[in-house]
Amino acid sequence: MSTVPTTIEDQLRAMRLGVDYQFTIKIRALSMRVRPLSMAEQVKVTNDVTEVLLASKPNERNSLNESALLAKEMLKLATKESDKTKVENGISNALLDRMTPDEIMFFYEQYRDGVNAVNP
């Protein structure tokens, strides 16, 4: 089990692993292994979220819905293996739908902190 690197050398080693680097995010007893998303993955998630928002009713297009949906979709992808030949067992929609917005954002903030720790 890896932890978020603390030294510059550890960060550089971890950064070079790219989308294969993994770390754990946790809230109470629930923990998830996540990985950084590639640029292509982030663009796809952002485009998909934009499409969903544009298809929704105008009164449903707000920053809360956008932030929550973006966080959910990023976490779903970040919990899946980067290697498409491996079985993907990421976080499910059912679990995310049972979480509060604050729990989702707490997980997402931990994810962003972990990714920022290994970025150049």
Side-chain angles (χ1 to χ4, degrees):
M1 183 151 120
S2 63
T3 59
V4 175
T6 54
T7 69
I8 291 174
E9 292 79 17
D10 288 342
Q11 289 178 357
L12 288 171
R13 266 194 299 281
M15 177 191 70
R16 291 187 180 110
L17 292 173
V19 297
D20 294 321
Y21 175 72
Q22 292 189 350
F23 56 97
T24 301
I25 57 178
K26 185 175 181 176
I27 184 171
R28 293 181 290 281
L30 177 62
S31 62
M32 291 186 275
R33 298 286 294 159
V34 294
R35 64 175 180 83
L37 299 180
S38 69
M39 181 66 177
E41 290 171 319
Q42 288 188 32
V43 168
K44 182 177 181 341
V45 168
T46 303
N47 289 343
D48 291 348
V49 167
T50 300
E51 282 184 31
V52 168
L53 290 173
L54 290 174
S56 64
K57 297 176 185 174
N59 64 332
E60 293 173 353
R61 295 180 206 151
N62 57 57
S63 60
L64 177 62
N65 282 344
E66 181 180 5
S67 296
L69 186 55
L70 189 59
K72 284 173 67 170
E73 295 303 315
M74 292 277 195
L75 288 172
K76 280 195 314 194
L77 195 52
T79 58
K80 293 182 179 178
E81 296 285 343
S82 63
D83 183 351
K84 299 299 180 195
T85 63
K86 294 183 181 178
V87 176
E88 295 182 350
N89 58 352
I91 191 169
S92 67
N93 278 328
L95 177 59
L96 285 166
D97 289 345
R98 304 260 317 149
M99 294 171 72
T100 67
D102 288 337
E103 290 169 330
I104 292 169
M105 294 312 292
F106 182 80
F107 266 130
Y108 186 67
E109 288 168 11
Q110 284 186 64
Y111 166 75
R112 293 299 312 147
D113 289 346
V115 169
N116 287 337
V118 297
N119 275 338

